[in-house]
């Protein structure tokens, strides 16, 4: 049975490629998918983020995607595949940072109004910029590039790869997320409505209600419940995927009370897909409510908190984990913490008690699920983008480092040729 | 070899009669209008495909009457001998003569405002341009608001009522961070500067929204009927759009906004176009490139972005067959520098004469030494692309302006 299957695969694969090549003829002129190399990457251990680690494993990469993952003894090196051997090294999925500001222009905040659903940041992406080149050396292959937290609603962010290519190559999804900031930074104590915390909650609710009403009108029209087509309002257009729960809202929210209002307003009242995208200070104390609602926490960049009750310094991620939160990762808020230090954020979380394997899956598949891009990235599974790190060992051990990085099946960093940067 | 000027007696009468009448009423003007000048040059770069060596140009009534290796005159003409002759230089991006604050800083959407109304015609800027051989200039408003207003095209010298070539050439959009420079979010709330955009995303939004409102005819009450007429012109493609954009993502945004809304902007600035040559080529947009450095230090940039990449942008544009011109200051120097790093000589000269004229849609009357075009010429002491050559004089509409 197995043999037959293999035979089938080998006979049809070249044909498939020939077909792909022809179909892509027009596109391939721009030098994408069709011409990508095929690799058999052999390592001592594969951390797939989709099940148990594979000892002495091979990852087959073709056409920018992962074709298969398994034991080297099972897979071998099929004809036409270049063998890449990293003896005694680990392979793992590329890291994902759910909170980054270095994907393009650092001009992040439009500050006149408290809510800015009219703004989007994919017009100012700079693919593979200097910050991202260094990020790759730290193993980061996907970022959630978002507007700043200068206002309650900073605008729409972009999910993008850190690797080279033009804008359309690197974007995973745009609009990728909505950015909302509660308390702290947007608290302006002057000017417009929303100068204080009650005002900000009011403003956020009002804006989301306006968006929800707009989406409902269009839904009603498209379902034939109302006859007249609503007018297109560019300012509210991107609320459609948000209220359809196709994209999440990433929330600058930290401290117990603020996270509590995040849960209440954005989840309970607005029924949005919510990502807690700081969750620092004493927010971990509301873990029960977070678990009840199945909401992911992308904690950071602040990693620690001094607990006055017992005089102890707590690791924030470890405190969440201790209370049962499993949908959990770290962030850098780059450039607050340099983009390449994402793994170091996790390393310090492990230092305070976060489970090492959870840290690996946290920075990969859990972050991908939170951002709703786990169909593309986050684990080493057939069909997903070939975003692969080769490391000298566990990425959350500070003695280890990244040796090679593949994004979409292309080697974008290799210390054998490039100098080791991190 | 052109043998011509066999004007018949009847035709001479036809010309002389009105001239005679004008002489009676206004002797100075008439003297100019009847003037015929024959310029004999060692070399003429016509920039319409030929180099004449030697060559002659006959100027009559402010226009180029004939161009050839030698011209036999049947009527007397004042003769001028020079070493080298090139067409008047066209600078497509300037703020010359703009007075007052060059942008409307109280609001973001003022597409109907015109630069022509604020030109100081005796500004010393124009004398400097004459010295450099620049005869035609496009003046853009400053880019501190998003829809900045009309650019105008004018001559560096001449009678004031004839210097304006086109008062409303194109509408200037600032697809850049420039409009964010004055605006503030946290200030006295009654300040005019408390408004969008304070940020680049806000600039993109204002353009998207303004065009969207125009398309839907939503009757934005802030805008005058004149402004709406201009915006409708952008939307229906009848108004040329000038987008001042320098960073790669600014250029990309301008092209994308154009594509989404049915217009093709001409990009002015283009500093980082070298990062997206193929993408730019595919857009079919034209580029008025103002970022050529003429010394070895590319600002504070180090590595190839500070040197080869920036020096050879014109060469790359030419190889990619992108329609472009050089613009800004010291255009002869720019052309020389571009040649040094890879632009063919003939293309370099074209890039400061015929190419900008074509982009400005005035190439029917300007941009090359061609019979029928206006007599805007520059005389040089030698090869125009050699740094040892200097401008001897500049001619506009048949009149010679000596340089100091």
């Amino acid at each position: 049975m197995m043999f037959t299957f293999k035979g089938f695969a080998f006979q049809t694969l070249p044909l498939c490629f020939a077909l792909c090549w022809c179909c892509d003829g027009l596109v391939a002129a721009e030098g994408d998918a069709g011409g990508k190399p095929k690799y058999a990457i052999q390592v001592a251990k594969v951390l797939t983020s989709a099940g148990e680690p594979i000892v002495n494993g091979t990852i087959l990469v073709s056409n920018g995607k992962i074709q298969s993952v398994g034991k080297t003894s099972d897979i071998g090196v099929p004809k036409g595949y270049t063998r890449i051997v990293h003896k005694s090294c680990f392979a793992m999925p590329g890291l994902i940072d759910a909170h980054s500001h270095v994907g393009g222009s650092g001009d992040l905040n439009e500050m006149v109004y408290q809510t800015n659903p009219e703004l989007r940041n994919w017009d100012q992406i700079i693919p593979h910029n200097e910050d991202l080149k260094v990020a790759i050396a730290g193993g980061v292959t996907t970022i959630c590039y978002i507007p700043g937290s200068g206002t309650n609603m900073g605008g729409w962010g972009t999910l993008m790869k850190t690797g080279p290519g033009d804008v359309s190559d690197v974007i995973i999804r745009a609009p990728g997320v909505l950015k909302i900031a509660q308390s702290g930074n947007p608290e302006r104590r002057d000017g417009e409505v929303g100068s204080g915390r009650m005002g900000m909650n009011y403003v956020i609710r009002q804006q989301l209600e306006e968006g929800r009403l707009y989406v409902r009108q269009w839904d009603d029209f498209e379902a034939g419940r109302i006859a007249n087509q609503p007018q297109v309002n560019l300012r509210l257009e991107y609320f459609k995927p948000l209220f359809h729960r196709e994209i999440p809202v990433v929330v600058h929210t930290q401290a117990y009370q603020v996270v509590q209002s995040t849960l209440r307003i954005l989840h309970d009242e607005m029924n949005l897909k919510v990502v807690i995208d700081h969750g620092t200070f004493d927010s971990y104390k509301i873990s029960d409510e977070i678990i009840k609602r199945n909401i992911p926490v992308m904690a950071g960049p602040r990693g620690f908190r001094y607990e006055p009750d017992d005089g102890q310094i707590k690791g924030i991620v470890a405190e969440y984990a201790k209370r049962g939160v499993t949908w959990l990762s770290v962030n850098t808020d780059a450039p607050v913490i340099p983009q390449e230090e994402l793994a170091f954020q996790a390393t310090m979380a492990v230092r305070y008690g976060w489970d090492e394997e959870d840290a690996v899956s946290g920075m990969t598949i859990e972050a991908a699920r939170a951002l709703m891009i786990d169909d593309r990235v986050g684990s080493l599974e057939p069909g997903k983008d070939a975003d692969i790190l080769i490391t000298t060992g566990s990425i959350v051990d500070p003695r280890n480092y990244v040796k090679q990085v593949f994004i979409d099946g292309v080697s974008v960093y290799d210390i054998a040729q490039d100098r080791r940067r991190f | 070899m052109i043998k011509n000027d066999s004007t018949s007696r009847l035709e001479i009468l036809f010309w002389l009669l009105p001239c005679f009448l004008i002489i009676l009423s206004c002797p100075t003007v008439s003297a100019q209008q009847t003037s015929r000048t024959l310029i004999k040059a060692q070399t003429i770069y016509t920039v319409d495909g030929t180099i004449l060596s030697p060559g002659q140009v006959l100027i009559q009534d402010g226009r180029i009457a004939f161009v050839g290796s030698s011209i036999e005159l049947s009527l007397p003409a004042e003769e001028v001998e020079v070493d080298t002759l090139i067409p008047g230089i066209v600078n497509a991006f300037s703020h010359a003569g703009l007075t007052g604050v060059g942008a409307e800083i109280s609001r973001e959407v003022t597409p109907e405002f015109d630069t022509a109304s604020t030109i100081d015609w005796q500004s010393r800027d124009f004398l400097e341009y004459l010295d450099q051989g620049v005869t035609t200039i496009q003046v853009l408003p400053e880019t501190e608001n998003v829809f900045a207003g009309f650019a105008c095209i004018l001559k560096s010298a001449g009678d004031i009522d004839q210097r304006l070539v086109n008062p409303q050439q194109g509408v200037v959009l600032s697809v850049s961070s420039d409009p964010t420079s004055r605006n503030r979010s946290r200030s006295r709330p009654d300040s005019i500067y408390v408004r969008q955009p304070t940020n680049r995303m806000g600039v993109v939004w204002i353009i998207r929204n303004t065009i969207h409102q125009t398309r839907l005819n939503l009757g934005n009450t802030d805008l005058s009927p004149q402004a709406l007429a201009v915006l409708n012109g952008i939307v229906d493609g009848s108004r040329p759009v000038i987008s001042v954009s320098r960073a790669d993502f600014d250029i990309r945004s301008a092209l994308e906004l154009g594509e989404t809304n049915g217009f093709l902007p001409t990009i002015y600035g283009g500093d980082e176009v070298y990062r997206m040559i193929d993408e730019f080529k595919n857009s079919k947009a034209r580029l008025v490139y103002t970022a050529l450095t003429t010394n070895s230090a590319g600002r504070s940039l180090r590595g190839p972005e500070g040197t080869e990449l920036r020096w050879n942008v014109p060469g790359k544009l030419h190889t990619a067959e992108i329609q472009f011109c050089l613009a800004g200051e010291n255009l002869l120097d720019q052309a020389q520098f571009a040649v040094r790093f890879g632009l063919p000589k003939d293309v370099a000269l074209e890039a400061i004469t015929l190419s900008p004229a074509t982009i400005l849609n005035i190439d029917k009357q300007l941009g090359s030494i061609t019979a029928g075009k206006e007599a805007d010429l520059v005389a040089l002491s030698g090869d125009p692309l050699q740094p040892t050559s200097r401008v001897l004089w500049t001619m506009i509409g048949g009149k010679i302006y000596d340089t100091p």
Side-chain angles (χ1 to χ4, degrees), chain B residues 45-46 49 62 83 147 163 204-205 235 246 311 321 328 334 337:
Chain B
Y45 295 87
T46 63
D83 187 279
F147 287 78
R163 280 175 66 182
V204 172
W205 163 246
V235 169
R246 305 179 196 92
W311 293 341
E321 296 174 349
Q334 286 196 35
F337 197 81

Side-chain angles (χ1 to χ4, degrees), chain A residues 31-77:
Chain A
D32 69 1
K36 282 186 178 167
K38 296 199 267 187
Y39 295 121
I41 301 169
Q42 299 180 343
V43 291
K45 196 187 238 184
V46 183
L47 309 178
T48 62
S49 288
E52 290 301 306
I54 300 164
V55 177
N56 291 326
T58 289
I59 307 161
L60 289 190
V61 173
S62 74
N63 213 15
K65 301 280 181 188
I66 292 165
Q67 188 185 331
S68 57
V69 187
K71 283 191 132 353
T72 301
S73 53
D74 292 342
I75 292 183
V77 182

Side-chain angles (χ1 to χ4, degrees), chain B residues 190-205:
Chain B
D190 58 344
S191 160
I192 58 163
Y193 298 122
V194 177
R195 66 166 195 266
Q196 282 186 326
T198 60
N199 157 289
R200 198 190 163 282
M201 290 190 290
V203 175
V204 172
W205 163 246

Side-chain angles (χ1 to χ4, degrees), chain A residues 66-67 73 81 86 95 116 118 126 144 202 237 342 383 398 416:
Chain A
I66 292 165
Q67 188 185 331
S73 53
Y81 286 70
H86 285 285
L95 306 182
N116 299 282
E118 72 278 18
I126 308 174
C144 178
Y202 171 84
E237 212 30 40
L342 182 68

Side-chain angles (χ1 to χ4, degrees), chain B residues 221-292:
Chain B
T221 49
D222 290 348
L223 298 177
S224 67
Q226 291 89 337
L228 285 170
V230 179
L231 292 171
N232 276 313
I234 293 176
V235 169
D236 69 25
S238 63
R239 278 278 179 208
V241 175
I242 291 170
S243 175
V244 178
S245 307
R246 305 179 196 92
D248 54 352
F249 50 73
D250 287 337
I251 300 168
R252 195 174 288 123
S253 293
L255 297 173
E256 211 258 347
L257 287 164
E259 201 181 325
T260 316
N261 294 293
F263 61 87
L264 182 61
T266 301
I267 304 298
Y268 283 56
D271 298 38
E272 290 182 354
V273 72
Y274 58 85
R275 292 182 177 170
M276 49 180 294
I277 292 278
D278 290 343
E279 213 177 322
F280 196 90
K281 182 189 176 174
N282 291 338
S283 76
K284 298 193 169 60
R286 300 183 296 181
L287 176 65
V288 173
Y289 182 65
T290 63
L292 190 70

Side-chain angles (χ1 to χ4, degrees), chain A residues 30 105 107-113 116 118-121 123-127 147 150 154 166-167 185-188 190-191 231-235 238, chain B residues 177 180 184-187 189 193-205 208-209 212 216 218 248-250 252-253 256-257 275 279 282 305:
Chain A
E30 292 173 8
S105 165
D107 196 5
L108 300 170
N109 290 295
E110 172 62 81
M111 301 275 275
V112 176
Y113 305 111
N116 299 282
E118 72 278 18
L119 305 180
R120 57 188 200 187
N121 74 355
D123 301 303
Q124 56 189 42
I125 284 174
I126 308 174
D166 62 31
V167 170
N185 297 359
E187 220 153 318
R188 43 181 76 193
D190 66 7
Q231 197 165 56
V232 172
N233 185 339
L234 281 190
R235 191 164 181 274
Y238 298 131
Chain B
S177 298
T180 68
R184 298 283 175 270
S185 56
R186 292 174 190 186
S187 170
Y193 298 122
V194 177
R195 66 166 195 266
Q196 282 186 326
T198 60
N199 157 289
R200 198 190 163 282
M201 290 190 290
V203 175
V204 172
W205 163 246
R208 289 175 65 216
N209 191 40
H212 179 68
L216 292 185
L218 292 180
D248 54 352
F249 50 73
D250 287 337
R252 195 174 288 123
S253 293
E256 211 258 347
L257 287 164
R275 292 182 177 170
E279 213 177 322
N282 291 338
E305 294 222 13

